[in-house]
Amino acid sequence: NNLNVNSRAEVPSPPTVSASLASHSHSTCSSSSHSTVSFASSQKHDLAYYELPESIIAAYRQLGITKLYDWQVKCFEEHPRVLQNGANFVYSAPTSGGKTLIAEILMVRRILLTHRKCIFVLPYVSIVEEKISYLSKIFERIGISVRAHFANKGGHMSNTEELAICTIEKAHTIINHIPGQDIRTTPG
């Protein structure tokens, strides 16, 4: 299912996330290519449309990220429950296609709006190290605690930690410790 990266359907006001975490639907959103969005694009391409704090938007702006690609917007349009109540969905795009930005938007919204923790799982230690440096600079501006979990680092999410960036093995360890933890301190 390839997305048409040139489509520009209008969308109503940005959705508000509800506290309901019961949804577990699985959908697919894929893209075989991406293109930059013109400056004249509609507001749905702007990061502010997704109710991100201004300091987060400013951090992305400093990194040169000011707009979403058409395919990223279409993923959110076709799967509004992902933004509204945390439904699950699967999406794919080529390397450097912008997949991580979608995950980051969803994580920051989830942490701020539901006060739940997030686990960001990556396949290699080198990528975890890269992402911890990058995401710490962005998320700690608004007080979101970010911690790396790989090799001999981490393994359990602390009460103050809100985002765990980890390898597959450490994610397994974190998840295995959830049953004994207070539900308010477990990932959502």
Side-chain angles (χ1 to χ4, degrees):
N1 182 2
N2 290 334
L3 297 178
N4 177 353
V5 295
N6 295 319
S7 67
R8 298 200 188 219
E10 290 301 317
V11 195
S13 299
T16 305
V17 173
S18 72
S20 171
L21 302 176
S23 177
H24 294 290
S25 67
H26 295 279
S27 300
T28 303
C29 181
S30 65
S31 173
S32 60
S33 65
H34 67 280
S35 62
T36 56
V37 176
S38 69
F39 213 69
S41 66
S42 67
Q43 68 178 357
K44 66 188 172 185
H45 288 89
D46 295 334
L47 292 173
Y49 181 81
Y50 299 94
E51 300 175 329
L52 301 175
E54 182 54 42
S55 59
I56 296 277
I57 295 168
Y60 281 123
R61 203 175 299 125
Q62 287 176 339
L63 295 168
I65 300 169
T66 59
K67 304 278 184 187
L68 296 182
Y69 294 127
D70 289 337
W71 79 265
Q72 292 167 317
V73 171
K74 192 162 185 172
C75 276
F76 288 138
E77 286 176 340
E78 289 182 358
H79 307 286
R81 290 176 49 206
V82 170
L83 286 170
Q84 294 167 351
N85 64 7
N88 297 319
F89 81 127
V90 175
Y91 60 101
S92 66
T95 300
S96 298
K99 296 179 294 289
T100 303
L101 183 58
I102 288 178
E104 292 167 15
I105 290 170
L106 294 173
M107 285 187 299
V108 75
R109 286 176 54 91
R110 185 76 163 180
I111 292 167
L112 293 176
L113 297 173
T114 67
H115 306 289
R116 299 294 299 265
K117 297 172 180 269
C118 287
I119 301 173
F120 189 19
V121 184
L122 298 163
Y124 305 111
V125 170
S126 59
I127 300 173
V128 171
E129 290 176 320
E130 176 187 312
K131 291 298 173 194
I132 191 72
S133 173
Y134 167 77
L135 290 175
S136 292
K137 291 175 188 171
I138 295 172
F139 287 7
E140 288 180 352
R141 290 175 175 229
I142 59 168
I144 292 177
S145 171
V146 181
R147 185 171 165 218
H149 296 262
F150 62 89
N152 63 352
K153 289 187 176 187
H156 314 141
M157 288 185 79
S158 70
N159 288 338
T160 59
E161 179 180 359
E162 295 164 297
L163 174 58
I165 303 173
C166 52
T167 58
I168 296 164
E169 297 80 12
K170 287 297 182 171
H172 183 263
T173 301
I174 290 169
I175 290 168
N176 281 339
H177 283 88
I178 289 174
Q181 293 183 353
D182 182 326
I183 193 71
R184 292 166 298 190
T185 64
T186 58

